[in-house]
Each structure stands twice: as structure tokens, then as C-alpha cells.
Amino acid sequence: MIKTALRILLVEDVKTDAELLEHHIKKIVDTPEIKVADNLDDIAALLHSFAPDVVISDYNLPTCNGLDVLKLTKDYDHALPFIFVTGTIDDDELAANTILSGATGFVLKKHMKNMAEKLKPLLKQVVFNMIEKEELREKIRKNRISINQIYKYLDEINVDNEEQRQNVVKIKQNIDKISNREDAE
């Protein structure tokens, strides 16, 4: 059982399929928060207001297809994991195209009886990546705290002349450059 809470945007137009997928997800994830949508407008709104950890999408939808949903998702956040759960991708070329387009993986609906078993490794990878990113965010946070402490120290230095004041300014500028480079990475 995955203990990390997951926010899941489920893109599905068939109510019974959505309910079955929710049932299987709850077998894998201890505390999932699941929102369901079936059109691009609702998906876009949920991407911004719900901020999911992963998108799980059907391929055939009434007003669009899975590649449209994938593009919208990747435009919102190129690193957001995206999993197709569909009955359509039985074609090897179409399956390959979904992966090449940025999907994290796909599971066929014909495996609905053991969907939890099929989804579990994909969702475990999502959690692993979330934890990895969280560690990076924590390191960045600690670096910023250190930088703020250095700034405070520099502000408290008793400078005797203009040259020393200019040196303090240059030190702060160099710290800013290094800090901005680290944030961009």
C-alpha cells in the first residue's frame, strides 16, 4: 500500500469505468484524492485549481482524444506524470506514440480485473519521483536560509569606508548569481 497521499486527476467519460478505476486506485493508495473530468475545459480548470500529482486518462473521449489531454497536461507542467488507462491503445504504434509524446505509461482496460496490480508500479514511480523532488526542494530551502544568514551577517558588518561597502555589495551580487543558477537547475 502506498502511504503517501496522492492527488489524482482521472480523465474518464464512462462513469462505471471511472468508479472501477477509483476502486482499484484505493487498493493501491492509502489516501488518494481523486477528481474526475471528461473535457479539456474541466481538465484545464482542475490542473490549475487541484494541482494533481498524476493524471490518469482514457484515450477516447467525447470531445477530444488522449493526446489532446496529454498536450494540455504537458503545457501546464512538462514533468507531471501522465498514465493512459484505455481500451484503445491495442495498437503497438499508437502505444509507442503515446510514450514518445510524453506519457509515463499505459495500461489496457482489458486488464480491469487486475488493474491495481498493473497501476501499482506506475504509481510507486510517481511517489518515488515526488519524494526525490521534495528532497531537492528541501535542499534549495536550506540554501536560501543560509544565504539569508550570510546577507544578515554582511548587513551587520561595520564597514569603515566606501571600498568596504562596495565589496559587501559585490559579495551579495555574486551570491545572487550563484543562487539563481542553482534555482534554474
Side-chain angles (χ1 to χ4, degrees):
M1 178 74 71
I2 295 172
K3 299 294 182 191
T4 303
L6 275 180
R7 298 167 62 84
I8 300 169
L9 173 53
L10 180 58
V11 180
E12 177 60 66
D13 62 313
V14 179
K15 185 178 181 190
T16 54
D17 284 354
E19 290 169 352
L20 280 169
L21 285 167
E22 285 187 53
H23 171 74
H24 285 288
I25 290 167
K26 288 177 181 176
K27 287 181 180 178
I28 306 166
V29 181
D30 195 29
T31 53
E33 186 176 347
I34 303 169
K35 301 281 183 181
V36 181
D38 67 358
N39 64 71
L40 291 175
D41 290 338
D42 291 347
I43 295 163
L46 285 170
L47 285 170
H48 291 280
S49 65
F50 179 57
D53 299 311
V54 61
V55 175
I56 299 175
S57 179
D58 191 5
Y59 190 84
N60 281 330
L61 298 160
T63 60
C64 59
N65 68 40
L67 290 178
D68 297 328
V69 177
L70 178 59
K71 182 182 179 334
L72 178 65
T73 301
K74 294 303 176 181
D75 286 347
Y76 167 75
D77 178 354
H78 69 88
L80 184 62
F82 190 100
I83 301 167
F84 279 110
V85 175
T86 181
T88 301
I89 304 181
D90 234 352
D91 174 336
D92 289 339
E93 186 177 336
L94 183 57
N97 284 338
T98 62
I99 299 299
L100 291 172
S101 296
T104 309
F106 66 90
V107 179
L108 296 176
K109 283 186 179 179
K110 71 181 182 183
H111 299 295
M112 193 61 86
K113 286 184 181 177
N114 57 349
M115 184 59 68
E117 179 184 314
K118 300 289 183 181
L119 273 177
K120 189 173 186 174
L122 296 170
L123 293 178
K124 278 187 167 187
Q125 185 63 45
V126 168
V127 170
F128 175 78
N129 291 340
M130 284 172 52
I131 291 168
E132 193 174 78
K133 287 178 185 174
E134 186 60 36
E135 289 174 11
L136 178 62
R137 281 197 297 262
E138 182 62 18
K139 285 179 184 177
I140 290 170
R141 187 185 73 77
K142 286 180 180 178
N143 285 344
R144 287 187 177 146
I145 289 170
S146 296
I147 289 169
N148 288 335
Q149 289 172 342
I150 292 169
Y151 280 160
K152 184 178 178 190
Y153 173 76
L154 290 172
D155 288 339
E156 291 173 357
I157 290 177
N158 242 350
V159 288
D160 296 331
N161 60 43
E162 183 62 28
E163 182 181 354
Q164 289 174 333
R165 276 191 281 281
Q166 289 302 317
N167 286 337
V168 168
V169 169
K170 287 178 185 176
I171 291 169
K172 286 182 178 182
Q173 289 170 343
N174 287 331
I175 291 171
D176 285 342
K177 286 178 189 176
I178 292 168
S179 176
N180 289 335
R181 249 187 279 144
E182 285 178 357
D183 288 348
E185 293 172 356

